[in-house]
Amino acid sequence: MYTIPAFGPWPEQNAGPDEEKRLTSAQQSKTSPTSIDREHETGVFYGSGKLPYQTSLAACTCNDFVKRKKPCKHIYRLAMELGIIPLDYKTGRSSGERNEAQISFEDSIALVEQLSEAAQKHIENMLYYTSERVDDRQRAVTCYDLDLADELRTSPLIHENPYPLAEVLSDLSKPNLLILLDAIRREDKPRRSAAKAKIVEWIAENVPMLANELPPCASFSFVEVFDKAQRDVYKYLRRKYDTETDWYTGAEHPAGAVPAADGSTYYFPEDRVTDALTKRGFNRCLNGYTPTKSKS
């Protein structure tokens, strides 16, 4: 049972899904305080408006507390930071701080255009896996081209991760994986008949030094402050480099382009992605794109 002085035992006093949700949210890095005054047991949290939230163990200036007069996620987090609620929590940039620090679409494109075409296409490949879902924005992607890896390391949009042992093992066929497993003299290792994923997980966890014997490669993920621009940068690179085939006519055209009313030419949608392509001279549909191939 947790006790917050101004509210008594909590959350058992008013336990329920809403309170559990607030407790869980309070534990996340996105709820990290801007500052904590331990002597006076108060904290400052990034607000959704112009002013930050001023929080104590008795009150908070956020809308949730003002409406309910019950502990909000900021009060819960303050109590965790002060050791009153003995729950683990993650630290980092709050949601507001991350949003404020985000690299703009225009600056992201400028950074991408500093790279070679090969590096840009690798970033496009990374964005294929990361740009669609928010939870995947920092997903790690492996690069086996070491020359390309050296160039990618120079980009402010990218963070390098430790050697991706589990992913490299997953790329091996199961017969080759079993050869490695047979060479490991451990009684607690998985059976040869175990699922490939289970074998990979066990080897990666128990024989990390194996990374020194496997093909060299690098693992990269995007930095947090590139989150918001990812989807449009992916569209930019798709429109710049890729082609699609119209399923009905068989016409090949730049990816993302749509046909004019008569279907004879294709144009990119009028948006900031197309504006960026035009500005940099990469709008393949600027004067209308005539398909290079059609169904016979």
Side-chain angles (χ1 to χ4, degrees):
M1 180 176 293
Y2 314 129
T3 299
I4 300 179
F7 303 97
W10 204 270
E12 285 78 358
Q13 179 178 329
N14 288 286
D18 286 346
E19 301 311 317
E20 289 298 325
K21 183 178 180 180
R22 287 179 176 83
L23 271 170
T24 299
S25 182
Q27 293 176 271
Q28 306 307 308
S29 62
K30 63 184 180 182
T31 312
S32 296
T34 302
S35 64
I36 292 288
D37 183 337
R38 297 185 180 278
E39 180 181 355
H40 297 96
E41 297 186 325
T42 60
V44 178
F45 291 81
Y46 204 102
S48 57
K50 293 182 178 180
L51 298 176
Y53 298 138
Q54 304 294 329
T55 306
S56 70
L57 292 173
C60 182
T61 57
C62 75
N63 290 334
D64 185 38
F65 180 82
V66 170
K67 290 178 181 178
R68 299 169 63 248
K69 303 301 181 186
K70 296 179 180 179
C72 59
K73 65 181 181 181
H74 308 106
I75 292 177
Y76 281 139
R77 178 56 178 260
L78 176 60
M80 293 175 192
E81 296 269 356
L82 296 174
I84 295 171
I85 293 181
L87 292 177
D88 293 332
Y89 54 84
K90 299 176 182 178
T91 59
R93 283 180 171 173
S94 67
S95 295
E97 289 174 307
R98 286 206 306 269
N99 289 339
E100 193 173 83
Q102 288 290 305
I103 302 174
S104 69
F105 168 70
E106 293 77 12
D107 288 344
S108 298
I109 292 300
L111 291 171
V112 167
E113 287 295 348
Q114 292 176 6
L115 301 171
S116 67
E117 180 176 321
Q120 289 184 35
K121 288 183 175 180
H122 184 81
I123 285 181
E124 181 190 349
N125 179 62
M126 290 178 64
L127 288 167
Y128 172 81
Y129 296 103
T130 68
S131 64
E132 189 62 30
R133 297 178 66 253
V134 173
D135 290 345
D136 289 336
R137 294 286 157 82
Q138 278 84 54
R139 177 175 172 175
V141 180
T142 301
C143 176
Y144 287 93
D145 186 332
L146 297 185
D147 290 335
L148 198 58
D150 285 339
E151 182 179 6
L152 292 171
R153 289 186 181 100
T154 68
S155 175
L157 299 176
I158 292 175
H159 166 76
E160 186 170 7
N161 307 304
Y163 184 90
L165 178 57
E167 186 168 341
V168 175
L169 291 170
S170 296
D171 289 339
L172 298 177
S173 65
K174 187 167 182 181
N176 286 332
L177 201 59
L178 291 177
I179 292 173
L180 291 177
L181 186 65
D182 291 341
I184 299 171
R185 299 186 180 280
R186 287 272 296 269
E187 294 184 1
D188 61 335
K189 65 184 180 183
R191 294 177 179 273
R192 299 178 92 256
S193 58
K196 180 180 178 181
K198 183 176 181 180
I199 295 174
V200 166
E201 181 182 6
W202 187 90
I203 294 178
E205 181 178 345
N206 292 278
V207 197
M209 67 287 295
L210 189 60
N212 298 324
E213 307 299 327
L214 292 173
C217 62
S219 173
F220 296 105
S221 54
F222 292 118
V223 295
E224 273 189 345
V225 292
F226 180 46
D227 278 5
K228 280 197 167 184
Q230 280 196 31
R231 183 173 294 183
D232 279 354
V233 172
Y234 180 54
K235 290 179 182 178
Y236 176 92
L237 292 170
R238 286 258 298 148
R239 293 179 193 179
K240 181 178 179 181
Y241 291 117
D242 296 350
T243 59
E244 294 176 340
T245 302
D246 188 290
W247 66 271
Y248 181 71
T249 65
E252 288 187 349
H253 57 82
V258 294
D262 62 3
S264 62
T265 53
Y266 283 75
Y267 294 89
F268 287 135
E270 295 183 5
D271 56 21
R272 68 174 183 171
V273 176
T274 298
D275 289 345
L277 288 165
T278 302
K279 179 180 178 181
R280 294 180 175 277
F282 300 128
N283 186 348
R284 295 184 285 167
C285 298
L286 181 60
N287 299 310
Y289 182 88
T290 302
T292 58
K293 179 181 179 182
S294 60
K295 185 184 294 184
S296 56

